[in-house]
Amino acid sequence: MTEERAEVRAALDEDVTAIVDICTLGYRATYPGLVSDEFIERMLAEGYRPELVAKQIPAAPPGWLGYQVAEEDGRVLGAAAGGLVAPGAGELFVLYLHPDERGRGLGTLLLNRVTDQIREQGAAEMRVGVLDGNERAILFYEARGFRKAERRRTTGSTEADNAWTWVMHRAIGNSYK
């Protein structure tokens, strides 16, 4: 399979189960050793329940631009979403791939789709939060023009979790691809 056969499109109601599965598999494959198992399960329960994802399928601009999916041969292989977080600034909130599909360019396709959406909303800057220690993701975003800007406590974490996120920024002109 190659990325040329993959299509990135707005998610549909029938994609809810696939999005939950992709995000759950991706989350569980990415964060062991970086945060506790309890933290992982708590974040999955809070963020990727089918009823919550179902409510988030449609866009609610400008703060939520809806889930986008990468699909190939009728299978959803990745999901992403973003929106505006301040005037002129957007954020990629979610980008997960099925762990077996990493390294094929699907993450870049999804990132480009969300970047285009954010730019269409008038943003000139884009942000993404990456868990400190997630070097694969940090390198992915750095290769696409993002730079570390600040370190903050990870959303949803407590002092006991000791989870930290790098907020990475980039300008979004025509040269991001």
Side-chain angles (χ1 to χ4, degrees):
M1 290 189 238
T2 63
E3 70 180 71
E4 291 81 27
R5 294 179 50 202
E7 172 192 2
V8 177
R9 60 170 174 78
L12 305 170
D13 290 338
E14 53 264 30
D15 296 323
V16 168
T17 299
I19 293 169
V20 169
D21 291 347
I22 294 291
C23 292
T24 300
L25 286 168
Y27 208 96
R28 286 188 176 136
T30 301
Y31 301 119
L34 299 177
V35 292
S36 70
D37 291 344
E38 294 79 17
F39 179 80
I40 291 170
E41 294 308 313
R42 189 172 74 239
M43 293 298 96
L44 288 172
E46 289 177 16
Y48 298 107
R49 296 183 322 272
E51 62 275 11
L52 176 61
V53 171
K55 290 179 187 175
Q56 295 174 332
I57 292 293
W64 177 258
L65 301 175
Y67 270 106
Q68 308 302 305
V69 295
E71 179 184 61
E72 185 176 74
D73 298 329
R75 290 179 46 235
V76 173
L77 305 176
L84 294 191
V85 292
E91 185 167 340
L92 176 69
F93 301 130
V94 175
L95 195 162
Y96 288 106
L97 301 174
H98 187 287
D100 295 341
E101 303 299 334
R102 292 177 177 171
R104 297 185 45 225
L106 299 172
T108 299
L109 291 174
L110 286 163
L111 176 61
N112 291 349
R113 170 70 167 246
V114 174
T115 300
D116 289 342
Q117 290 181 304
I118 288 171
R119 187 185 299 106
E120 288 167 8
Q121 294 294 314
E125 175 189 13
M126 188 168 173
R127 305 171 189 162
V128 63
V130 181
L131 193 67
D132 191 9
N134 185 356
E135 292 306 314
R136 182 181 192 138
I138 290 168
L139 292 171
F140 172 84
Y141 291 113
E142 285 178 340
R144 286 147 188 88
F146 287 88
R147 297 293 170 253
K148 292 177 182 175
E150 66 178 291
R151 191 171 175 262
R152 68 177 184 211
R153 187 170 301 283
T154 300
T155 302
S157 73
T158 66
E159 217 173 290
D161 294 319
N162 195 30
W164 295 88
T165 292
W166 280 106
V167 179
M168 301 178 77
H169 294 233
R170 75 170 176 184
I172 51 174
N174 292 325
S175 62
Y176 72 92
K177 290 184 181 178

